[in-house]
DNA sequence: ACGTTATTTGCAAACGTTTGCATATGGTTT
DNA sequence: AAACCATATGCAAACGTTTGCAAATAACGT
């Protein structure tokens, strides 16, 4: 028969005249339990709707099989792809994922770190907010020897395990490409420099400029949150300079799209008058007309790597995180019409 | 001093010469504990790096503060937006989210249902796979009186709490719009009819056609997974009919985009020769040229509603789910150039 | 001075599972 | 017939927290 509320191992034991230990072992397939007993237990389990209590089990084993994930925003293309990969990979290892989002608020991030900390997650995977410069709220994880992996946006000074895209190279290649295509006055629209990825891309940008003997004009470089409104405002400023830049390296595709919108509205031809490169290879970059040259970051692979690293940190009792791992996943410049006159003409 | 491994309430108690009960109460702000004691406890907590054990707490209270979410794919635009909303809303109530994805595999879905079931989630929010027609694996939740909310794709026969978009209306309005714009031979490209949303959209499509006295040509109606490859293949079939339809109602924007790609390639003018409507109002719909008319589903609002419903089911001890709740969130037809000759000409 | 009440703390059991050790049974070996 | 092994099961403690109840102390009124 079926009890209404919680049906436990004890109940099963009682019903079968066994001890809870035997039932527990039967359920976990312990070799010392006779097949007959296992069958009987299984039968009762099925008809009673017994619900294994993972909480109790986790408590007893101090093993929650849960990984925490803390991201700025779930719904951004890059992030959601990474999450997809992480979830798939963790599932292979029998781990579950608890997902939190900071909405790019440092306050929220701090709060969630504590929530996750006390939730007994076995590891934490993080992409911090745009404004996280002080990473000390993550220290509790290091202190407690709980694996902590940063990805994408990562602490520069703070030592930790990191999975990053090659943002320096991304910035460098984008800019070099623009220069090769003939751009000279190149604008750079990027995110807050408090964030590692934007610092690196900026550095790559500068390097390519210097290498080509070009000057980085202060008035062409802008840092702010990369949404459409901000991007359009920046375009206004650039436009007000008298002459619009003939190249734009935008640090995400939303911004690149906004620049394109602005250019079209003002009769600036793309790529003839201005060449544009975005970042992240958002699905929109490919289908807009002209298609936008962008940097592919391989977010799925990045997510897989983060999950793999996390699992090896957890499973590897041998080398318990004595040496810090830092992986850089390569990027790829995907050249499209927005920056290439020859491509634009062939169609 | 700081112990290396788990520092518990008992340790704090011992260090202060108190009992664990007192420490526990001090931590939870119980009114019968003196301020002095609370301060002393707080001090030790901070310097010891004490980690509250939510597992033990949950076990004792049989309250995990965790909600499960089971979706086909995290990274689809619609889904990731819903998840964002759900996560934000649940956080307001102090609940956490455990996210799983079925990758549209029924097998995986069944497995994950069991995993979630034993994880002691207090409620489950689900958008099932495309192919889930038998919903009996969700019954354990009903049996155990654990709130279960379906959204978007929902069981038709199976009684349950549901949050759905108004797919019938979406299908009806899209089709009516195409007809109003002059389309007569209208193709319908949709997903598997095993899935509620596609059945409803198809019904709306048929209704609008009948209302206008138009015939639904079998050869113009196609059902399959809605990705680019399948859509292009369907386009080939339509093209092979001799005359391409002059209207296409596609059940997602990926498909609409593929149709557009095909039309462009074959010199079929949009919207002059063929008018196209998509579904979901994906960010790409707005920026492609010509922009695609689509159905806005308000995924964020949908997610909030799902979370709100879940919370009221959990908190409301009063009416413990005796009556089933079914909410339909309105949709909105967003008219753009892909279906409107007048709009296309003004630019 | 004594009963009454308010305040603060402690005891011990409970949540459901797991596991080392001990035990029981039957069968095999010398 | 004694000693031994293999197999199957049970006992009881433990994981860390919470909470009803009891108890200790202090404060108060009559």
């Amino acid at each position: 028969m079926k009890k209404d509320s919680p049906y436990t191992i004890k109940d099963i034991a009682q019903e079968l005249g066994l001890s809870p230990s035997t039932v527990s072992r039967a359920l976990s397939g312990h070799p010392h339990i006779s097949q007959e007993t296992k069958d009987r237990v299984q039968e009762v389990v099925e008809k009673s709707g017994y619900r294994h209590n993972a909480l109790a089990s986790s408590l007893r084993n101090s093993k929650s099989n849960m990984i925490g994930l803390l991201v700025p925003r779930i719904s951004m293309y890059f992030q959601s792809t990474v999450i997809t990969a992480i979830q798939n990979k963790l599932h292979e290892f029998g781990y579950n994922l608890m997902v939190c989002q900071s909405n790019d608020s440092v306050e929220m991030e701090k709060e969630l770190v504590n929530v996750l900390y006390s939730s007994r997650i076995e590891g934490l995977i993080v992409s911090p907010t745009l404004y996280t410069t002080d990473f000390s709220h993550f220290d509790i994880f290091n202190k407690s020897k709980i694996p902590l992996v940063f990805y994408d946006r990562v602490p520069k000074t703070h030592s930790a395990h990191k999975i990053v895209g090659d943002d320096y190279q991304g910035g460098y290649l984008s800019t070099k490409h623009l220069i090769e295509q003939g751009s000279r006055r190149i604008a750079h629209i990027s995110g807050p420099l408090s964030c590692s990825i934007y610092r690196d891309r900026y550095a790559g940008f500068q390097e390519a400029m210097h290498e080509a003997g070009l000057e980085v004009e202060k008035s062409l470089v802008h840092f702010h949150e990369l949404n459409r409104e901000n991007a359009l405002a920046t375009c206004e400023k650039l436009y007000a300079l008298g002459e619009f830049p003939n190249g734009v390296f935008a640090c995400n595709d939303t911004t690149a799209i906004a620049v394109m919108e602005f250019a079209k509205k003002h009769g600036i031809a793309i790529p003839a008058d201005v060449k544009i490169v975005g970042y992240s290879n958002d699905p929109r970059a490919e289908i807009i007309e002209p298609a936008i040259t962008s940097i592919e970051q391989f977010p799925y692979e990045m997510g897989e790597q983060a999950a793999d690293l996390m699992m090896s940190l957890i499973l590897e009792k041998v080398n318990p995180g004595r040496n810090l791992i830092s992986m850089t996943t390569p990027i790829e410049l995907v050249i499209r019409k927005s920056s290439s006159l020859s491509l634009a003409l062939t169609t």
Side-chain angles (χ1 to χ4, degrees), chain A residues 62-87:
Chain A
S62 16
K63 183 145 191 6
S64 66
N65 273 53
M66 185 83 81
I67 302 292
L69 177 65
L70 181 48
V71 297
R73 314 195 119 87
I74 295 170
S75 61
M76 288 165 55
Y77 163 74
F78 175 83
Q79 293 293 353
S80 67
T81 307
V82 172
I83 299 175
T84 292
I86 291 178
Q87 212 282 332

Side-chain angles (χ1 to χ4, degrees), chain A residues 191-205:
Chain A
L193 289 185
S194 49
C195 185
S196 62
I197 56 178
Y198 299 122
R199 282 202 301 279
D200 287 353
R201 292 176 197 173
Y202 182 41
F205 166 77

